């Protein structure tokens, strides 16, 4: 999450110190960008890491990073991060992938939703994000 965004945490709600996410994020000035849900597809639409949610999560985050970079943004510009997952057992791997890319003290607001399935039956996780890219960097 960018330094311009304000991360909000209220201690009486739940302790967020162990999570790379915020209870709330106040958006900074800039261009709000809503990304289409990103999954573990390669450029050829083949699933990366069939059967492995952690590998798919890493690939999806790589896709998010590439889309944001294409318009002047970065992962740090993400203010909201929604995770759609199909199997409860995959959550630890999905969390590890997220924790590898987002810092505990600056992560975005996060929501997780368990779903019956995704667009491709081999997909186990999908991420939908909102980012705010500062005007000085936005190139879209």
């Amino acid at each position: 999450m960018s330094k311009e965004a304000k991360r909000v945490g209220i201690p009486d709600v739940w302790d967020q110190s162990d999570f790379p996410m915020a209870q709330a994020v106040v958006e900074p000035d800039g261009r709000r960008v809503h990304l289409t849900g990103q999954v573990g597809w390669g450029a050829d639409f083949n699933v990366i890491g069939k059967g492995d949610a952690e590998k798919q999560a890493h690939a999806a985050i790589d896709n998010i990073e590439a889309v944001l970079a294409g318009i002047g943004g970065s992962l740090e510009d993400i203010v909201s991060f929604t995770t759609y997952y199909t199997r409860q057992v995959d959550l630890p791997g999905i969390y590890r992938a997220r924790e590898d890319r987002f810092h505990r003290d600056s992560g975005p607001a996060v929501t997780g939703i368990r779903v019956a399935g995704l667009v491709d039956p081999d997909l186990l996780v999908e991420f939908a994000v909102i980012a705010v890219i500062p005007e000085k960097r936005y190139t879209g």
Side-chain angles (χ1 to χ4, degrees), residues 30-33 65-74 77 132-140:
R31 296 283 184 112
R32 185 180 311 147
V33 180
E65 187 171 41
V67 171
L68 290 173
I71 54 175
S74 71
D77 297 320
V132 179
I133 302 173
E135 286 290 340
K136 64 186 176 217
R137 283 194 282 117
Y138 180 75
T139 61

Side-chain angles (χ1 to χ4, degrees), residues 20-95:
M21 60 184 165
Q23 292 173 354
V25 173
V26 178
E27 289 185 8
D29 290 334
R31 296 283 184 112
R32 185 180 311 147
V33 180
H34 297 255
L35 275 68
T36 295
Q38 295 295 316
V39 295
W41 273 338
D44 57 4
F45 286 98
N46 286 320
V47 175
I48 297 169
K50 280 187 182 180
D52 187 329
E54 187 170 353
K55 284 183 183 177
Q56 289 184 25
H58 277 288
I61 295 170
D62 288 344
N63 289 342
I64 290 166
E65 187 171 41
V67 171
L68 290 173
I71 54 175
S74 71
L75 293 178
E76 291 182 356
D77 297 320
I78 296 172
V79 296
S80 179
F81 195 104
T82 301
T83 302
Y84 300 93
Y85 61 96
T86 61
R87 304 182 312 195
Q88 192 75 22
V89 69
D90 293 328
L91 281 179
I94 293 167
Y95 291 161

Side-chain angles (χ1 to χ4, degrees), residues 7 9-11 14-23 92 95-96 98-100 102-108 110:
R7 182 179 158 105
I10 308 301
W14 47 265
D15 182 9
Q16 66 181 22
S17 61
D18 287 337
F19 301 102
M21 60 184 165
Q23 292 173 354
Y95 291 161
R96 279 191 300 274
R98 226 175 38 204
E99 289 172 3
D100 285 348
F102 296 95
H103 301 288
R104 290 189 187 279
D105 60 346
S106 63
V110 175

Side-chain angles (χ1 to χ4, degrees), residues 39-41 47-48 56 86 117-126:
V39 295
W41 273 338
V47 175
I48 297 169
Q56 289 184 25
T86 61
L118 298 168
V119 68
D120 179 319
D122 288 325
L123 290 169
L124 303 172
V125 62
E126 180 171 341

